[in-house]
């Protein structure tokens, strides 16, 4: 499980190249962090108290007054709204600066490309080299500084807001890497988005700001407050990216939360509005705009935006976008999985880390080269320019000839002397579609929202132009001629496709805020809802897809109207064979329980007969208990005592301090005795104890996780090694010099035997006294709700205080994903097979069956072993 | 606690007249309902199984096929989206029909008023009589058919969505009463709104539809699904009322939910969009509109909607609206409380129920009479017309003279030959303000949103016109002249004031959807947020205020940034003296525990020494256990057995069947022995048992809850009577004829003594095996979250399985409202005194102290008695 430097870097590379995996034990990390915070809090309060006590001595009043003043100031600084204003301000500045730099970069490319128009080869080189250099730099920079900055960031934020701590995700290094990496990546002109990374940047900003402000006051250390602030930060991220406060709040809620506390609502609105306001004010001050208006302002007519009879066309856009969105997510995942699977490619890319980004950029920029293929797909327009032209309120198709456009420039790019505008649009859509799906797999900070948005707009425009060509005088019957506005269709298409890819409805609101017009509200809403319905039935959202690829700890949503979920009960999915320890168990029992499986917490029951649940204990706590009992210091203590008794045989006690070679010898001896016999786990503990066999000679540390033996019989040894591979080892080595260890292997084995039979002393053990409990009849629906509401990892199932089962995220996930059969009905969403990524569906059931079998035939040791190992690998793969 | 018919009706009247109180034990009702549903579900599944078994017999395949087809059809019907489409359709139709009828009513009034323009007295009579008749009819009709239909409905929906069952709130009768009552009330032209009632109507619709569709399938019986559907229905209600799907969803979330499941989001959007679509399509089909557009379409210029320098004016509107909103809520509550307190007025109004509505209507309509005072406040305009004119994009002040308006009609109403338009606006605002606050207290179905919205628009217009007069050529400096648009200010004002009254941000979105323009997004957002900040600091929202007045079971929100909440722990607020029963307790203990306090559930612990929490038992369950043990049937059984033994003394056993007079005699005898000694409650149960004294002669049933004695010493008897006043009595009376009851009072007392010493048999008792548990260190913030997330009523505090305390809604409420002092800091919101309604703040603490005292001196019985009674009255008042 532990790896050395090179290994870790290789792993990290895999992570950053193609949505890596998280094999770190995040839960343990979270617990440690919490403990650290708790302790520091206690220390703080202690120091406070001593301060107050000191004050009582002399000059008390004066000091108390000062303290109060200080407290008042601190409490003001600690107010939420000051924090939110600061956050909004900072993010608006960041957003504006990033935009400014991106614009500069793109201008520079255009200038270079325009200046070299004499030589087409030079022009091509300039067109291609520029983005390749920028993307390569971005990838390399991010890679070196903070690999966590790669990608969108929304999936990670979703996981963090669920209560999981992702290490290194909210540090200053990541912030710098993300901002600079993003600027370079977008400056290259690749079809990448800014919005996902901005959610991450805003969260980083909030975390850093919170850390900074905790220098003034104490309340910033509260965890639930931090999560509230992070939720607000996500809203700010979207809000200041699009100058869309309402849409930003809603989008961030839909994308990151499962349950949303309405009381936090105002935070998001407040911060996002302020941020959007500052962001647009900066544009006014920079003389880009005359006043505050929308980012992509449209000028559709107000009095008759669309006819009722056009609605079927809008519905068609919605449904097609739904399929398109699902295809995009599928394509994106396919590319990642393809490159991961191809081992030769993968190996080669692992060596030359920057080759993949460079290659992808080369392909994409070659294809968009304006004098080349790019002329058929408006290749010379930047993303922003394309969007502005697509949302234009004129009709292209009817006028037909380029000359009729009374304004030169961007819109002309869509017109080609040889080919129709329809062909240009179709080519644009098709090419950009796979390009965007490919580009978002490059390991740079980037999002997919904006590219998808533009593709959607183009698709809408295509439908709109077709409609305009079909009904040149509009559809309306009663006298007045109202032409069809293809721009409106583009708005609808943009909202629908981006909604389908992200599984959100709030893209509708974003579209209104982006265009500054809400006249197409009904078509947009209808299309977005239809697109969502289709896409949700076919594929997970892009962010959920990335969560799966990255194997982040997540809980899938209950699907779109699968009401069978109401009929599954906890008793159908729970694991009945719970690993537990009793209040009066021996260290041998503890040892046995720790050998089996890798559960992070174990249930503590009163006794095996009563099975009354008293609490849960973390695995690490039990490990340290066992280490204390069997550890070298305690054995040395024992030796010392023994030697005190046998004084006549030994010379003196003083020689304890200087025998280093002995300790070296000892460290290569057998340290731990492993019993392959499992009866210690059985509740009643009555069977005869078999003699223990030393199963593991600890000669060298196994360093590569890939070298873990897969044979179930060897597993117990490895499990024990894993058990003790962290701090205890180091501790033991440090203490080596304390006493002379003259015990033989046999003596050690005997001593350990003796120790294992003692009763466990839980007094210094941290116990969670109120683990979450469910009842057998709790429905899957309710269980899911509770798990996602409270961010649970597992819950015990009790019946009148008696522990009868346990449900963990794994069981829940399996039940939701439809691999559990209940009462003969296969609970499986209609197109679930499309979603499966080849997991063995019934392994859990098998395991449970085996466990039951085991309980009946305690002497058979093989099935248990097998189960444990299968459980282990299962959990490791998460 | 029970009341007879007249009493209940009187109570109901109080409820409906002025936001009554709910003294019913809603929790008990909910539990019974749940039990009923559970049982019927079991019966259903049983019958299903038997059907399948029967099928196996003959013609199995054919039958199975039929069953499957049926199931498929049912499952289709059961799909959420079909339900939502139906709901949307029905609500759109209802909304349209209601609007149509209201328009007809208002037209009729105008026609009558216009036809009588020869005689001003007749005109006045017509103007005044019409609304008085309509309102009186509405009040009377609602009163007779379903008093629950009175008022907005949003507070009740908020309570229902929190999981509380309000009886009779979702019935067909209420639906009819609400729709017809609302139509008449709004048709009268009073300043009342449609949106609150529509939330209720939509929920009614959903509940009825759900009931109707459960005829086809079984899934409609699931409770959590019903709550999801109700949440969607609330969105539909707002959506189809304003044709504002997005705003509707957001508003309904903000107003009704504490925590919102994002997975239910699409339901609201889907249904609200469909509903809004149909609602507007109906208008097109009715030739009211040419195509689907916004309800109150504005035509502001797009290119320069407002200048950056106008923002301070918008901010002023926001802040002033905040104060105005708080004042409105305060005024509304003041009126209700004033009329409630004035006993003479109250008595008079109780007798003549329809007088109050008639009087209020008379006053308001007299003041708006157009030839009278109404001419100074645009009295002849209906609410809708006022709003349309206020949102007009022309400037009134600059043109000054009425002739310059090139369109006659509505806008002219604001111009008066003698007085300035500013005076008209100010008068309009002031008069409408108190009129709306007064009108919403009339006991008819009505909301306050629309009146407030109009007042806000008028206020915004006032500011806008002032700005236009101040800067006749606009503020912009760079060449072009952009006039100031007072209409934009009206939009901002409307959103800000309605946001302040309801404490919502989503009024901004509603405003955009209502006007069809989003160009003023930043000013609107800024004003709404400022208004919310001010209003939330001063007063609860209108809906929360009504919840308090009606004493609905609620949990207040954690306020706007009170970060002290993070530092309060459960141990600071929990009640340490928990009432519990042990697994091996006697009936005497049970009896003792039931005598003290009125908690609805009691904790079941393993033993008084271990205190390990096993579960919780409902009070009713324990009561029935005790009744079984001490009840007449069991005593008769005992007599029969005894008589069998003593056969020689008695004649025969056959005479058991015919002795009715004996039973009558028996029912007037002492039935229950009450011990005023409380030692049975003490955990260790070691003290010497005092002889019992028969304290209660059960001679007549106490019928009025007002007759409950308040002296603490008499309390135990009453408590017992209350304990048994429900079903057990009836049961006992029915069984009277079974055996001859020849026991003397002394014998009965002895027998009961004997019975009480037996150990309780919990086998047939329903036990909740996993009541919610907290730890001492859980923060108040987290506790609040968990309580509102899971809709808890109480939670036990445990430490390693040991029960150490309990926290109920009451403690939580007190802690949040700031009456608990922790670590010397008074946790109290800045203006909390303004909010208090005179509750004694420290009674809980006192009680706890007394309990502690009691535990130390077990022989003193008085303090315990006192505590119990104070607890009781405290709980009853909720």
């Amino acid at each position: 499980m532990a790896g050395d430097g090179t290994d870790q870097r290789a792993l990290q590379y895999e992570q950053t190249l193609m949505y890596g995996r998280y094999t770190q034990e995040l839960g343990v990390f979270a617990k440690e962090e919490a403990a650290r915070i708790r302790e520091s809090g206690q220390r703080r309060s202690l120091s406070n108290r001593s301060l107050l006590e000191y004050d009582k001595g002399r000059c008390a009043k004066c000091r108390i007054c000062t303290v109060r003043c200080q407290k008042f100031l601190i409490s003001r600084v600690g107010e939420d709204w000051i924090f939110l204003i600061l956050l909004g301000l900072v993010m608006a500045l960041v957003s504006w600066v990033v935009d400014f730099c991106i614009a500069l970069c793109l201008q520079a490319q255009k200038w270079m490309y325009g200046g070299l128009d004499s030589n087409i080869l030079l022009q091509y080189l300039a067109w291609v080299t520029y983005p390749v250099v920028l993307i390569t730099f971005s990838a390399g920079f991010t890679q070196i500084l903070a690999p966590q900055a790669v990608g969108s960031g929304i999936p990670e934020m979703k996981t963090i807001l669920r209560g999981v701590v992702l290490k290194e995700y909210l540090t200053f290094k990541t912030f710098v890497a993300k901002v600079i990496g993003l600027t370079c990546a977008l400056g290259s002109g690749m079809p990448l988005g800014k919005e996902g990374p901005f959610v991450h940047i805003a969260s980083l900003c909030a975390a850093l700001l919170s850390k900074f402000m905790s220098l003034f006051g104490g309340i910033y250390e509260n965890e639930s407050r931090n999560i509230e602030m992070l939720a607000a930060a996500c809203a700010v991220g979207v809000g200041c990216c699009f100058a869309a406060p309402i849409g930003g709040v809603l989008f961030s809620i839909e994308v990151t939360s499962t349950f949303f506390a309405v009381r936090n609502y105002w935070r998001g609105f407040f911060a996002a509005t302020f941020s959007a306001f500052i962001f647009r004010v900066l544009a006014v001050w920079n003389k880009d705009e005359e006043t505050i208006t929308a980012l992509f302002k449209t000028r559709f007519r107000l009095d008759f935006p669309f006819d009722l009879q056009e609605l079927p066309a809008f519905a068609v856009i919605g449904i097609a976008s739904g399929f398109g969105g699902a295809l995009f997510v599928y394509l994106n995942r396919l590319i990642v999985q393809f490159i991961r699977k191809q081992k030769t490619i993968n190996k080669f890319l692992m060596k030359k880390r920057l080759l993949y980004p460079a290659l992808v950029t080369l392909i994409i920029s070659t294809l968009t080269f304006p004098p080349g293929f790019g002329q058929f797909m408006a290749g010379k327009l930047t993303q922003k320019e394309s969007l502005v032209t697509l949302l234009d309120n004129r009709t292209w198709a009817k006028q037909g000839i380029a000359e009729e456009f009374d304004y030169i420039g961007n819109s002309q790019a869509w017109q080609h002397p040889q080919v129709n505008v329809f062909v240009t649009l179709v080519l644009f859509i098709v090419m950009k579609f796979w390009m965007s799906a490919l580009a978002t797999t490059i390991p740079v900070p980037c999002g997919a929202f904006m590219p998808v948005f533009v593709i959607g707009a183009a698709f809408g425009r295509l439908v709109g132009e077709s409609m305009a060509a079909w009904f040149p005088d509009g559809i309306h019957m009663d006298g007045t001629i109202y032409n069809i506005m293809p721009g409106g269709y583009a708005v609808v298409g943009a909202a629908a496709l981006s909604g389908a890819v992200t599984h959100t409805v709030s893209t509708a609101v974003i579209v209104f805020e982006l265009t500054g017009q809400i006249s197409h509200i009904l078509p947009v809403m209808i299309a977005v809802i239809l697109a969502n319905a289709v896409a949700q039935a076919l594929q997970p959202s892009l962010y959920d897809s990335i969560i799966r690829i990255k194997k982040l700890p997540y809980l899938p949503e209950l699907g779109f109207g699968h009401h069978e979920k109401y009929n599954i009960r906890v008793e159908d999915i729970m694991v009945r064979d719970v690993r537990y320890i009793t209040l009066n168990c021996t260290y041998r029992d503890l040892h046995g329980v720790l050998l089996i499986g890798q559960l992070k917490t174990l249930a503590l029951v009163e006794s095996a007969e009563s099975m009354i649940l008293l609490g849960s204990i973390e695995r690490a706590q039990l490990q340290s208990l066992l280490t204390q009992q069997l550890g070298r210091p305690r054995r040395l203590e024992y030796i010392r005592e023994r030697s005190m008794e046998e004084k006549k045989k030994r010379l003196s006690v003083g020689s304890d301090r200087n025998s280093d070679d002995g300790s070296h010898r000892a460290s290569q001896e057998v340290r731990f005795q492993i019993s392959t016999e499992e009866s210690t786990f059985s509740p009643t503990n009555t069977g005869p104890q078999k003699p223990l066999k030393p199963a593991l000679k600890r000669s060298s540390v196994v360093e590569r996780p890939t070298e873990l033996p897969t044979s179930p019989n060897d597993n117990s040894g490895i499990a024990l090694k894993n058990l003790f591979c962290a701090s205890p080892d180091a501790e033991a080595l440090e203490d080596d010099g304390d006493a002379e260890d003259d015990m033989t292997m046999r003596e050690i084995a005997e001593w350990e035997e003796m120790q294992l039979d003692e009763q466990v002393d839980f007094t210094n053990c941290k116990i969670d006294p109120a683990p979450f409990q469910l009842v057998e009849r709790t429905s899957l629906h309710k269980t899911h709700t509770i798990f996602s509401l409270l961010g649970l990892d597992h819950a015990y199932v009790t019946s009148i205080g008696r522990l009868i089962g346990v449900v963990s995220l794994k069981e829940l996930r399996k039940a939701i994903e439809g691999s559990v059969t209940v009462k003969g009905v296969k609970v499986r969403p209609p197109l679930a097979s499309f979603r499966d990524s080849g997991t063995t569906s019934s392994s859990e059931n098998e395991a449970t069956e085996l466990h039951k079998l085991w309980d009946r035939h305690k002497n058979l040791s093989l099935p248990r072993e097998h189960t444990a190992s299968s459980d282990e690998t299962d959990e490791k793969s998460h």
Side-chain angles (χ1 to χ4, degrees), chain A:
Chain A
M1 203 157 274
D4 63 353
T6 41
D7 243 314
Q8 273 197 339
R9 220 170 298 149
L11 267 172
Q12 264 183 5
Y13 178 64
E14 229 182 62
Q15 251 178 48
T16 52
L17 177 67
M18 313 260 103
Y19 308 138
R21 305 176 181 209
Y22 292 89
T23 45
Q24 288 163 303
E25 299 234 304
L26 295 163
V28 172
F29 175 70
K31 296 280 162 65
E32 280 167 9
E33 277 291 294
R36 197 185 53 73
I37 289 165
R38 217 176 301 129
E39 273 167 26
S40 71
Q42 279 169 357
R43 235 180 294 132
R44 190 175 301 252
S45 69
L46 271 175
S47 67
N48 253 346
R49 207 172 300 154
S50 65
L51 186 73
L52 285 173
E53 272 161 19
Y54 171 74
D55 281 337
K56 275 176 197 160
R58 53 184 282 190
C59 193
K61 272 186 188 173
C62 169
R63 267 155 208 276
I64 284 171
C65 183
T66 321
V67 168
R68 271 189 195 160
C69 280
Q70 220 173 333
K71 267 196 180 169
F72 177 78
L73 281 175
I74 283 165
S75 71
R76 287 297 112 182
V77 172
E79 296 271 342
D80 287 355
W81 62 273
I82 292 186
F83 179 85
L84 293 171
I85 281 186
L86 277 178
L87 179 65
L89 195 67
V90 171
M91 279 311 294
L93 283 171
V94 170
S95 181
W96 189 77
V97 169
V98 167
D99 271 9
F100 191 77
C101 293
I102 292 171
L104 272 187
C105 286
L106 293 173
Q107 255 182 331
Q109 188 188 15
K110 274 212 172 161
W111 170 82
M112 249 162 59
Y113 164 78
L116 295 166
D117 56 356
S118 52
N119 186 333
I120 197 149
L121 194 70
L122 274 180
Q123 217 178 7
Y124 171 72
L125 277 178
W127 179 263
V128 163
T129 317
Y130 192 80
V132 168
V133 167
L134 274 176
I135 287 279
T136 314
F137 169 74
S138 171
F141 184 77
T142 320
Q143 185 57 46
I144 291 163
L145 198 63
Q148 292 83 7
V150 160
S152 150
I154 289 181
E156 284 84 5
M157 286 317 298
K158 190 170 186 171
T159 319
I160 289 174
L161 285 179
R162 208 195 156 272
V164 175
V165 176
L166 294 183
K167 217 176 171 180
E168 295 284 314
Y169 252 88
L170 298 174
T171 60
F172 184 68
K173 257 175 153 183
T174 317
F175 179 75
V176 172
K178 195 113 194 178
V179 170
I180 294 181
L182 179 68
T183 312
C184 294
L186 294 188
S188 72
M190 287 290 102
L192 299 172
K194 166 190 172 192
E195 150 270 16
F198 253 74
V199 169
H200 191 185
I201 292 175
S203 309
L204 282 162
C205 220
L208 295 174
L209 207 58
S210 175
K211 224 179 247 172
F212 172 72
M213 289 178 84
S214 70
L215 297 176
F216 297 98
I219 49 151
Y220 285 96
E221 283 173 5
N222 189 294
E223 201 188 334
S224 41
R225 186 173 185 280
N226 280 345
I227 288 212
E228 282 170 13
M229 287 305 164
L230 282 183
C234 291
V236 171
V238 186
C240 72
C241 175
F242 293 143
I246 302 170
V249 172
L250 299 184
F251 185 79
S252 75
I253 290 175
E254 278 195 273
V255 152
T256 58
S257 309
T258 324
F259 278 84
F260 192 73
V262 178
R263 66 161 177 262
N264 293 341
Y265 207 55
W266 71 270
R267 273 181 246 271
F269 269 107
F270 180 74
T273 305
F274 188 77
S275 186
F277 171 63
I278 297 291
F279 179 61
R280 296 306 288 159
V281 163
L282 284 172
V284 176
W285 278 341
N286 199 37
K287 302 279 178 196
D288 292 341
E289 306 260 358
E290 232 178 344
T291 185
I292 295 177
T293 50
L295 219 54
F296 296 99
K297 202 162 64 181
T298 53
R299 284 178 188 79
F300 305 141
R301 60 167 183 264
L302 288 177
D303 41 342
F304 195 90
F306 60 92
D307 195 55
L308 215 54
Q309 282 140 311
E310 292 178 52
L311 282 177
F314 292 122
V316 165
I317 293 181
I319 291 167
S321 294
F323 283 105
L327 186 64
F328 185 86
V329 174
Y330 182 68
L331 194 64
N332 182 279
R333 197 167 59 234
L334 211 64
I335 294 171
V336 174
Q337 282 171 347
F338 174 76
I339 296 192
R340 257 200 201 160
K341 268 183 199 160
Q342 297 293 319
K343 281 186 183 162
T344 46
I345 298 180
N346 211 353
K347 251 185 197 166
F348 182 67
L349 290 177
M350 285 265 274
K351 276 181 200 155
K352 317 270 176 197
R353 294 178 187 189
L354 303 178
L355 203 64
Y356 178 71
L359 258 175
V360 170
T361 315
L362 186 69
I363 295 168
I364 293 176
S365 52
T366 302
L367 282 172
T368 54
F369 182 51
F373 189 74
Q375 62 185 303
F376 303 109
M377 52 174 284
K380 73 173 175 184
L381 296 185
T382 65
Q383 218 169 42
K384 209 171 168 179
E385 286 165 352
S386 324
L387 191 56
V388 169
T389 52
L390 286 170
L391 297 180
D392 186 46
N393 61 344
R394 288 146 206 257
T395 312
W396 298 343
K398 216 173 52 180
Q399 285 133 336
I401 323 152
E403 278 77 3
E404 280 191 30
F405 281 97
D406 59 346
Y407 54 105
I408 47 158
N410 293 336
S411 280
Q412 243 173 348
W414 295 99
Q415 302 289 337
H416 191 270
Q418 273 87 50
V419 298
N420 203 327
V421 71
F422 293 105
V423 178
T424 321
L425 277 172
V426 169
L427 275 177
F428 178 85
I429 294 164
V430 172
M431 298 302 285
K432 283 278 176 185
F433 195 84
W434 67 260
M435 280 179 185
S436 303
L438 182 62
T440 43
T441 65
I442 302 177
V444 291
C446 65
F449 187 89
M450 213 52 198
V452 167
F453 197 83
V454 172
I455 296 167
F459 176 67
R461 184 96 207 175
L462 181 66
V463 175
E465 294 288 347
S466 314
M467 287 290 287
W470 197 4
F471 303 102
D473 294 328
I475 304 176
H476 198 62
M477 297 299 172
D478 309 353
T480 348
I481 289 179
Y482 292 113
N483 290 330
I484 284 172
M485 285 187 299
Y489 286 77
V491 168
V492 173
L497 192 63
S498 48
V501 168
T502 57
H503 285 200
T504 56
V505 193
S506 49
T507 50
V509 184
I510 291 182
V511 147
F512 302 138
E513 289 181 276
L514 270 184
T515 60
Q517 283 205 301
I518 203 169
S519 50
H520 279 76
I521 178 161
L522 270 176
V524 168
M525 289 302 295
I526 290 170
V528 166
I529 287 171
L530 286 174
N532 262 286
V534 173
Q536 287 188 19
L538 293 174
Q539 283 282 311
S541 82
L542 181 63
Y543 305 121
D544 284 339
S545 163
I546 294 177
I547 284 181
R548 283 189 198 193
I549 292 173
K550 286 198 173 184
K551 310 242 183 227
L552 294 169
Y554 80 111
L555 184 62
E557 280 304 293
L558 287 178
F560 204 64
H562 296 304
H563 45 71
E564 298 93 348
K565 303 293 186 263
Y566 295 104
N567 298 327
I568 306 180
R569 306 277 170 184
V570 162
E571 55 189 347
D572 301 324
I573 61 165
M574 72 183 180
V575 177
R576 282 170 198 280
D577 176 48
V578 194
R579 271 141 209 158
Y580 63 90
I581 42 177
T582 59
L583 206 52
N584 54 358
C585 67
T586 62
Y587 283 96
R588 191 182 303 285
D589 302 330
L590 214 65
H591 187 191
V593 171
L594 284 179
L595 280 185
I596 313 156
Q598 292 281 33
L599 287 173
K600 271 167 223 139
T601 51
L602 287 154
L604 175 68
V605 299
E606 201 198 24
S607 67
E609 292 82 36
S610 76
M611 283 298 279
I612 289 173
L613 182 67
L614 297 183
S616 70
I617 306 187
E618 278 168 41
R619 191 185 183 74
Q621 290 280 330
L622 294 179
Q623 282 170 1
S624 73
L625 274 182
L626 203 54
T627 318
Q628 266 175 21
Q629 183 75 5
L630 296 186
R632 205 174 149 73
R634 213 161 161 283
R635 199 171 78 237
L636 293 179
E637 180 81 15
Y638 166 76
I639 294 170
R640 209 178 298 139
E641 273 170 27
R642 197 178 54 173
S643 69
M644 291 283 272
E645 283 168 19
E646 303 169 1
K647 244 184 181 176
K648 44 213 152 178
K649 283 182 189 172
R650 304 272 299 156
L651 208 70
S652 79
V653 197
S655 68
D656 278 357
R657 283 275 159 192
N658 41 24
S659 61
D660 265 35
D661 58 341
S663 72
H664 280 292
R665 186 166 46 88
S667 74
Q668 282 170 4
E669 279 179 9
V670 177
R671 300 287 295 275
F672 309 108
Q673 301 292 333
I674 293 98
S675 149
T676 48
E677 192 249 3
E678 303 291 329
S679 69
T680 45
F681 184 71
S682 73
T684 41
N685 207 3
T686 49
Q689 302 281 330
K690 283 187 191 173
L692 293 173
K693 293 162 261 172
L696 165 73
K697 298 248 176 190
R698 190 176 164 280
S699 55
S700 77
V701 181
V702 178
E703 287 179 345
R704 280 162 200 279
T706 45
E707 282 179 29
L708 278 173
T710 45
S711 140
N713 286 334
D714 285 353
N715 202 38
S716 57
I718 299 304
L720 191 67
K721 207 192 309 171
N722 285 335
L723 225 80
F724 291 98
C725 70
S727 50
D729 262 346
E731 197 187 314
L733 283 168
E734 271 172 32
D735 292 337
D736 266 352
D738 281 357
E740 196 176 9
D741 191 356
D742 60 349
M743 286 170 90
T744 61
M745 258 179 64
R746 178 149 202 96
E747 274 176 329
I748 293 175
E750 270 171 15
W751 179 80
E752 288 190 342
E753 276 303 280
M754 216 168 67
Q755 295 304 313
L756 280 173
D757 282 331
E758 282 183 21
Q759 220 184 359
V760 181
D761 175 25
F762 284 109
T763 41
N764 289 321
C765 191
K766 266 187 279 181
I767 299 173
D768 173 13
F772 202 86
Q773 294 173 34
L774 299 169
V775 199
E776 298 136 276
R777 304 291 299 165
T778 313
S779 69
L780 176 60
H781 186 262
K782 197 168 183 184
T783 312
H784 181 270
T785 309
I786 290 170
F787 266 69
S788 40
L789 274 175
L790 305 178
L792 296 181
D793 179 63
H794 66 280
Y796 294 108
V797 185
T798 53
S799 165
I800 325 181
R802 286 171 55 86
L803 177 69
I804 56 167
V806 67
V807 175
S808 71
L809 270 185
K810 193 172 64 176
E811 279 87 45
L812 201 56
R813 195 147 58 210
K814 281 193 179 154
I816 289 166
E817 283 171 357
S819 50
V820 171
T821 49
V822 187
K823 289 168 193 158
V825 189
K826 188 98 174 157
V827 187
R828 200 173 176 75
L831 285 151
S833 61
F834 203 52
R835 287 188 181 187
D836 273 2
S837 48
T839 52
T840 52
S841 61
S842 56
S843 73
E844 189 53 45
N845 279 352
E846 272 170 28
T848 316
E849 284 307 309
L850 281 171
H851 277 260
K852 277 181 196 159
L853 200 73
W854 171 245
D855 282 346
R856 261 174 264 137
H857 314 278
K858 278 168 198 163
N859 298 327
L860 278 165
S861 67
L862 218 90
R864 159 71 72 192
E865 289 277 14
H866 172 70
T867 325
S869 78
S870 85
D871 250 0
E872 258 189 329
T873 48
D874 207 336
E875 275 177 8
K876 241 173 247 157
S877 69
H878 289 162

